[in-house]
Structure formats: C-alpha cells, structure tokens
Amino acid sequence: MRIAIVGAGSLGTIVGAYLADGGMDVELIDAYQEHVEALNQTGAKVTGTTEFQAKVKAITPEQKSGQYDLILLLTKQLYNDAILQELLPFLKEDSIVCSLQNGIPEDKVASIVGAQRVIAGSVEFGATFIEPGLSSLTTEYTQFKQYAFQIGELNGEVTERIERVKSVLDLVGGTHISDNLVGTKWSKLLINNAFSGLSAALNGEYGDIIDHEAGIVSAVHIADETIKVGHASGVQFVKMNGFDIASLELNSAADIAARVQTLRTVMEPSRLLKASMLQDLEKKRKTEIDYINGVVSSRAAGTGVATPYNDLVVELVKQAEETQTVPQFGTNIKAFEALLNEQQVNTI
C-alpha cells in the first residue's frame, strides 16, 4: 500500500514517523521546504510525552508522482479546494482518501474526490510543531497508544477497506472504527470547540483553561451549546476515549459544578496541548475558526439554540486575525467573565 500524508505538520510528522517505522511505504507531503529537508536529513523526531525518531521520506506538493492507495488528509480546511483538486491525478479509482481534519469537512471532500473514495476520521491526540523535523506529542503516551483515531465509512458500514485502514493507523496508536461517523465528528468538534477554540481566543494551553474557573466554566457552556445544536440537527454523539460526550449537556445551572469536575478529569491528560489555531495566530495566519466554533454558530440558525460562548470565541479569534496580534489571556478572559456574570444576572 502506497500512502501519502498530505499536511505533515505537528500531527502528520508523528503519524509519518510511526508508519515509516512500521514498514509502511509512506510519503510525508508538506509545503514547508525547511521542514521537508529536515525530515529527509535527520528523520521525523517526536518529543514531549515520549521520545521517538524514524527515518522518513518527505516531499513538497509539486514533487508528487505516481498514484497513492491511501491519502491521510491532515491539511487545514481553508485550503481544501486547491489541495484536493491537485490530488485528483494521483488517485486511482479505488484510492482511499481519509479525512483526519478538524471540523466536519466530509461533504466538501467527497464533492471533489468522489464520495466512493472518502472515509473519515477523528484524531484523538494532540501535538505541537516545535521546529522543522520535530513535533511534540502533548497527549499522555499511554492514552495516545490506546486512543489515537476513530475512523468510519460515510454510511456507517464496517467494510473490508475500513479494517485495512485501521490496521495501518494501529501502527501509530489505538484506532477505533465508528459506525456513526457524524456522531464521531461532532464529538471531536465539541472538544475542539471547548478547548482549541478557547486556547486560541485566550492564548493558553489546555491546562490554563482547566485551571482557571471562568475558563473551565466557559468550556462547559461551549460544550453544552455544541451538544444542543447537534441534537437539534439530529446528531447522536459517540463516546470519545470511552467517555460519553453527550453527558456534558446542561439540564440546569445546578449541573455546572459537576460538569466542570468531569471536564477537568477528562481533559487532564491533554493539559499540555496548545491549539493549532493559536499557533496560526502566532504566525499571523488565518485560522480554521469558521470550521470549528463557527460551525456551531452557523448551524444554530433556526434551531432556537443560543450560542453566545461559541460566538464570543469566534469574535475574539477573528479580531486577532484581523489585527494580526496574539490574544492576551488576562484581557480576553474578562470577556468570558462578563458573559458568565450577565447570564447569572439574567437567571436571577
């Protein structure tokens, strides 16, 4: 099986290292020339909660050749139109394109490469790009090896090809097949909304959110909004890392303290994670905020579900994009504190 990792950034570097070490014929494709050169010269290095290094083959997009059996898509949704069009000549009739992107991009991917080629998945570990050739695993290693991916067919069937892709990804970390793809993607979206969105809006690691009272309570509300909008859209959330995501829904204000404790426990292994959207802001790049928290804000239209916390995350991240600045935790947390206080007043 000939494999291409399209978007060999923080996550792709780790995936490529383990696949290459496992004997797979894999190419890491990335537009960052210095990164490609470092990968070829010194291999893919993984640091953080583990130390690992593997010899890999890396190329830039224009160096693609031949055809691939499996594409692992790890680029940002911002660039899907151009990237997927460029991939078409390198796909066979039965090639598999596995979307491991954040958000819910499958309809767009299928519209370009063909629905028959698409399977989708959810990455359940975190990583931070350190420098060319080096990525830091920020999820605890034991959890990473147990829960690294969920994958599934668009129609929910458990097919022979999904089993084949599982056997490949198992070389990286624990891979689980989902018969509810939509629920899988929404469950991952919830975690991204609550923590990646806040990480970018506040400028902090997940641990900073976990440890700050207004931060973690805001994460609870973001999760609740995501669940309510998902349910209004007919989504059935699936378990993530064995945890029932839908149990985070708030039935009343009295539930908040329990949900805070649950989120702190569930997210503790990921406290070192720093959102890729925050890394984008640091590099003065546009983020995927419209495809993360923005999905909840847009899908809420007509449902009767209010989404003030997701809306605030989108507002603050877009403000940082427009001004090309990095948010300040001490400044932006006040906006969430004000929103919390406003809601408390309104419920009295």
Side-chain angles (χ1 to χ4, degrees), residues 38-92:
L39 289 170
N40 286 325
Q41 292 170 6
T42 60
K45 300 177 184 177
V46 183
T47 187
T49 57
T50 190
E51 296 291 332
F52 182 71
Q53 185 171 354
K55 183 178 180 181
V56 298
K57 178 183 179 182
I59 61 172
T60 53
E62 62 272 14
Q63 293 175 310
K64 294 191 299 292
S65 63
Q67 293 178 311
Y68 299 98
D69 300 295
L70 173 63
I71 301 286
L72 300 177
L73 189 62
L74 280 162
T75 49
K76 296 183 184 300
Q77 284 196 60
L78 291 166
Y79 314 114
N80 271 4
D81 279 336
I83 287 171
L84 292 170
Q85 289 290 346
E86 290 174 5
L87 272 176
L88 290 175
F90 305 96
L91 300 178
K92 299 185 293 187

Side-chain angles (χ1 to χ4, degrees), residues 8-18 28 35 39 43-53 125-138 273 279:
S10 58
L11 297 172
T13 297
I14 293 174
V15 174
Y18 281 99
L28 284 68
H35 182 44
L39 289 170
K45 300 177 184 177
V46 183
T47 187
T49 57
T50 190
E51 296 291 332
F52 182 71
Q53 185 171 354
F125 65 93
T128 300
F129 186 84
I130 303 299
E131 63 185 29
L134 177 62
S135 184
S136 174
L137 178 67
T138 51
L273 185 56
Q279 296 174 59

Side-chain angles (χ1 to χ4, degrees), residues 54 161 321:
R161 73 171 184 173
E321 286 180 346

Side-chain angles (χ1 to χ4, degrees), residues 197-323:
L198 280 175
S199 174
L202 295 174
N203 183 11
E205 296 177 345
Y206 284 16
D208 296 317
I209 299 162
I210 291 169
D211 296 338
H212 195 286
E213 189 64 20
I216 191 65
V217 174
S218 296
V220 166
H221 283 289
I222 290 169
D224 177 62
E225 292 175 2
T226 303
I227 293 168
K228 284 181 166 60
V229 170
H231 283 166
S233 304
V235 174
Q236 291 185 328
F237 289 81
V238 304
K239 292 182 178 181
M240 295 288 285
N241 299 349
F243 172 66
D244 181 9
I245 287 285
S247 69
L248 290 170
E249 185 174 12
L250 293 173
N251 299 307
S252 71
D255 294 333
I256 292 175
R259 301 297 185 267
V260 164
Q261 184 56 48
T262 298
L263 262 190
R264 279 180 165 150
T265 300
V266 170
M267 297 305 297
E268 179 63 27
S270 301
R271 67 162 34 251
L272 298 178
L273 185 56
K274 176 181 177 180
S276 61
M277 290 191 293
L278 176 54
Q279 296 174 59
D280 288 334
L281 292 178
E282 291 172 340
K283 297 170 185 174
K284 294 181 171 49
R285 296 174 180 170
K286 284 187 66 64
T287 72
E288 290 186 289
I289 194 63
D290 285 333
Y291 305 100
I292 309 298
N293 299 80
V295 169
V296 174
S297 297
S298 61
R299 295 284 184 100
T303 67
V305 179
T307 59
Y309 289 89
N310 278 285
D311 297 346
L312 180 56
V313 169
V314 173
E315 177 187 341
L316 292 174
V317 173
K318 283 185 172 293
Q319 184 180 88
E321 286 180 346
E322 291 168 5
T323 58

